[in-house]
mmCIF file of all heavy atoms in Angstrom:
data_model
loop_
_atom_site.group_PDB
_atom_site.id
_atom_site.type_symbol
_atom_site.label_atom_id
_atom_site.label_comp_id
_atom_site.label_asym_id
_atom_site.label_seq_id
_atom_site.Cartn_x
_atom_site.Cartn_y
_atom_site.Cartn_z
ATOM 1 N N VAL P 1143 -150.685 69.791 -1.145
ATOM 2 C CA VAL P 1143 -151.866 69.111 -1.670
ATOM 3 C C VAL P 1143 -151.400 68.160 -2.765
ATOM 4 O O VAL P 1143 -150.744 68.583 -3.728
ATOM 5 C CB VAL P 1143 -152.893 70.115 -2.230
ATOM 6 C CG1 VAL P 1143 -154.111 69.389 -2.774
ATOM 7 C CG2 VAL P 1143 -153.303 71.103 -1.140
ATOM 8 N N VAL P 1144 -151.722 66.881 -2.638
ATOM 9 C CA VAL P 1144 -151.201 65.869 -3.571
ATOM 10 C C VAL P 1144 -152.279 65.272 -4.465
ATOM 11 O O VAL P 1144 -151.971 64.787 -5.564
ATOM 12 C CB VAL P 1144 -150.484 64.749 -2.795
ATOM 13 C CG1 VAL P 1144 -149.254 65.293 -2.089
ATOM 14 C CG2 VAL P 1144 -151.416 64.083 -1.794
ATOM 15 N N GLN P 1145 -153.540 65.292 -4.045
ATOM 16 C CA GLN P 1145 -154.574 64.643 -4.853
ATOM 17 C C GLN P 1145 -155.933 65.260 -4.561
ATOM 18 O O GLN P 1145 -156.219 65.674 -3.443
ATOM 19 C CB GLN P 1145 -154.601 63.134 -4.588
ATOM 20 C CG GLN P 1145 -155.594 62.367 -5.450
ATOM 21 C CD GLN P 1145 -155.475 60.870 -5.251
ATOM 22 O OE1 GLN P 1145 -154.394 60.367 -4.957
ATOM 23 N NE2 GLN P 1145 -156.576 60.157 -5.416
ATOM 24 N N LEU P 1146 -156.779 65.266 -5.636
ATOM 25 C CA LEU P 1146 -158.136 65.779 -5.531
ATOM 26 C C LEU P 1146 -159.079 64.815 -6.242
ATOM 27 O O LEU P 1146 -158.888 64.503 -7.421
ATOM 28 C CB LEU P 1146 -158.244 67.176 -6.148
ATOM 29 C CG LEU P 1146 -159.637 67.810 -6.180
ATOM 30 C CD1 LEU P 1146 -160.159 68.041 -4.761
ATOM 31 C CD2 LEU P 1146 -159.623 69.121 -6.958
ATOM 32 N N ASP P 1147 -160.101 64.327 -5.523
ATOM 33 C CA ASP P 1147 -161.119 63.424 -6.073
ATOM 34 C C ASP P 1147 -162.464 64.140 -6.041
ATOM 35 O O ASP P 1147 -162.885 64.638 -4.986
ATOM 36 C CB ASP P 1147 -161.197 62.133 -5.269
ATOM 37 C CG ASP P 1147 -159.889 61.366 -5.282
ATOM 38 O OD1 ASP P 1147 -159.319 61.205 -6.375
ATOM 39 O OD2 ASP P 1147 -159.430 60.930 -4.198
ATOM 40 N N ILE P 1148 -163.147 64.157 -7.207
ATOM 41 C CA ILE P 1148 -164.397 64.901 -7.342
ATOM 42 C C ILE P 1148 -165.472 63.977 -7.913
ATOM 43 O O ILE P 1148 -165.209 63.172 -8.819
ATOM 44 C CB ILE P 1148 -164.232 66.134 -8.253
ATOM 45 C CG1 ILE P 1148 -163.248 67.129 -7.622
ATOM 46 C CG2 ILE P 1148 -165.571 66.816 -8.513
ATOM 47 C CD1 ILE P 1148 -163.740 67.785 -6.347
ATOM 48 N N THR P 1160 -163.838 62.757 -11.510
ATOM 49 C CA THR P 1160 -162.483 63.111 -11.921
ATOM 50 C C THR P 1160 -161.534 62.952 -10.750
ATOM 51 O O THR P 1160 -161.930 63.132 -9.590
ATOM 52 C CB THR P 1160 -162.423 64.549 -12.468
ATOM 53 O OG1 THR P 1160 -161.114 64.798 -12.982
ATOM 54 C CG2 THR P 1160 -162.695 65.559 -11.382
ATOM 55 N N THR P 1161 -160.308 62.587 -11.067
ATOM 56 C CA THR P 1161 -159.232 62.486 -10.086
ATOM 57 C C THR P 1161 -158.033 63.241 -10.631
ATOM 58 O O THR P 1161 -157.577 62.963 -11.748
ATOM 59 C CB THR P 1161 -158.862 61.026 -9.808
ATOM 60 O OG1 THR P 1161 -159.995 60.347 -9.251
ATOM 61 C CG2 THR P 1161 -157.713 60.938 -8.813
ATOM 62 N N MET P 1162 -157.541 64.180 -9.869
ATOM 63 C CA MET P 1162 -156.459 65.029 -10.332
ATOM 64 C C MET P 1162 -155.284 64.917 -9.381
ATOM 65 O O MET P 1162 -155.415 65.140 -8.166
ATOM 66 C CB MET P 1162 -156.924 66.487 -10.434
ATOM 67 C CG MET P 1162 -155.888 67.428 -11.019
ATOM 68 S SD MET P 1162 -156.527 69.090 -11.272
ATOM 69 C CE MET P 1162 -156.856 69.579 -9.604
ATOM 70 N N LYS P 1163 -154.148 64.517 -9.926
ATOM 71 C CA LYS P 1163 -152.901 64.510 -9.165
ATOM 72 C C LYS P 1163 -152.279 65.893 -9.271
ATOM 73 O O LYS P 1163 -152.068 66.405 -10.367
ATOM 74 C CB LYS P 1163 -151.938 63.468 -9.709
ATOM 75 C CG LYS P 1163 -152.471 62.046 -9.695
ATOM 76 C CD LYS P 1163 -152.491 61.471 -8.296
ATOM 77 C CE LYS P 1163 -152.900 59.993 -8.315
ATOM 78 N NZ LYS P 1163 -152.908 59.400 -6.971
ATOM 79 N N THR P 1164 -151.982 66.457 -8.135
ATOM 80 C CA THR P 1164 -151.415 67.803 -8.122
ATOM 81 C C THR P 1164 -150.305 67.885 -7.083
ATOM 82 O O THR P 1164 -150.127 66.972 -6.269
ATOM 83 C CB THR P 1164 -152.505 68.845 -7.817
ATOM 84 O OG1 THR P 1164 -151.930 70.154 -7.852
ATOM 85 C CG2 THR P 1164 -153.110 68.597 -6.456
ATOM 86 N N LEU P 1165 -149.592 68.960 -7.121
ATOM 87 C CA LEU P 1165 -148.525 69.205 -6.143
ATOM 88 C C LEU P 1165 -148.526 70.699 -5.838
ATOM 89 O O LEU P 1165 -147.733 71.471 -6.370
ATOM 90 C CB LEU P 1165 -147.178 68.748 -6.692
ATOM 91 C CG LEU P 1165 -146.016 68.747 -5.686
ATOM 92 C CD1 LEU P 1165 -146.290 67.774 -4.546
ATOM 93 C CD2 LEU P 1165 -144.708 68.395 -6.369
ATOM 94 N N ILE P 1176 -157.113 75.846 -6.397
ATOM 95 C CA ILE P 1176 -156.992 74.740 -7.354
ATOM 96 C C ILE P 1176 -158.145 74.851 -8.349
ATOM 97 O O ILE P 1176 -159.306 74.970 -7.950
ATOM 98 C CB ILE P 1176 -157.031 73.377 -6.636
ATOM 99 C CG1 ILE P 1176 -155.804 73.201 -5.742
ATOM 100 C CG2 ILE P 1176 -157.108 72.241 -7.648
ATOM 101 C CD1 ILE P 1176 -155.788 71.870 -5.007
ATOM 102 N N PHE P 1177 -157.817 74.808 -9.625
ATOM 103 C CA PHE P 1177 -158.808 74.785 -10.694
ATOM 104 C C PHE P 1177 -158.947 73.330 -11.162
ATOM 105 O O PHE P 1177 -157.947 72.699 -11.531
ATOM 106 C CB PHE P 1177 -158.390 75.666 -11.863
ATOM 107 C CG PHE P 1177 -158.364 77.139 -11.537
ATOM 108 C CD1 PHE P 1177 -157.266 77.702 -10.909
ATOM 109 C CD2 PHE P 1177 -159.438 77.944 -11.853
ATOM 110 C CE1 PHE P 1177 -157.241 79.048 -10.597
ATOM 111 C CE2 PHE P 1177 -159.426 79.300 -11.548
ATOM 112 C CZ PHE P 1177 -158.321 79.855 -10.917
ATOM 113 N N TYR P 1178 -160.159 72.832 -11.163
ATOM 114 C CA TYR P 1178 -160.392 71.461 -11.614
ATOM 115 C C TYR P 1178 -161.565 71.429 -12.592
ATOM 116 O O TYR P 1178 -162.520 72.180 -12.470
ATOM 117 C CB TYR P 1178 -160.657 70.520 -10.437
ATOM 118 C CG TYR P 1178 -161.899 70.834 -9.627
ATOM 119 C CD1 TYR P 1178 -163.118 70.233 -9.928
ATOM 120 C CD2 TYR P 1178 -161.856 71.725 -8.555
ATOM 121 C CE1 TYR P 1178 -164.256 70.512 -9.201
ATOM 122 C CE2 TYR P 1178 -162.987 72.007 -7.821
ATOM 123 C CZ TYR P 1178 -164.183 71.396 -8.143
ATOM 124 O OH TYR P 1178 -165.315 71.681 -7.425
ATOM 125 N N MET P 1179 -161.467 70.536 -13.571
ATOM 126 C CA MET P 1179 -162.495 70.407 -14.595
ATOM 127 C C MET P 1179 -163.134 69.025 -14.504
ATOM 128 O O MET P 1179 -162.449 68.022 -14.320
ATOM 129 C CB MET P 1179 -161.897 70.608 -15.982
ATOM 130 C CG MET P 1179 -162.948 70.641 -17.089
ATOM 131 S SD MET P 1179 -162.236 70.806 -18.736
ATOM 132 C CE MET P 1179 -161.467 69.203 -18.911
ATOM 133 N N THR P 1210 -162.885 65.018 -2.159
ATOM 134 C CA THR P 1210 -161.935 64.659 -1.109
ATOM 135 C C THR P 1210 -160.575 65.204 -1.494
ATOM 136 O O THR P 1210 -160.077 64.926 -2.595
ATOM 137 C CB THR P 1210 -161.857 63.139 -0.908
ATOM 138 O OG1 THR P 1210 -163.154 62.641 -0.580
ATOM 139 C CG2 THR P 1210 -160.889 62.792 0.216
ATOM 140 N N LEU P 1211 -159.977 65.963 -0.580
ATOM 141 C CA LEU P 1211 -158.674 66.572 -0.814
ATOM 142 C C LEU P 1211 -157.654 65.878 0.092
ATOM 143 O O LEU P 1211 -157.854 65.771 1.304
ATOM 144 C CB LEU P 1211 -158.726 68.070 -0.516
ATOM 145 C CG LEU P 1211 -157.514 68.908 -0.920
ATOM 146 C CD1 LEU P 1211 -157.434 69.021 -2.435
ATOM 147 C CD2 LEU P 1211 -157.591 70.281 -0.288
#
Side-chain angles (χ1 to χ4, degrees):
V1143 180
V1144 295
Q1145 183 174 330
L1146 177 64
D1147 299 313
I1148 296 293
T1160 186
T1161 298
M1162 185 174 64
K1163 301 286 186 179
T1164 182
L1165 189 62
I1176 294 180
F1177 293 83
Y1178 63 92
M1179 186 183 70
T1210 302
L1211 190 70

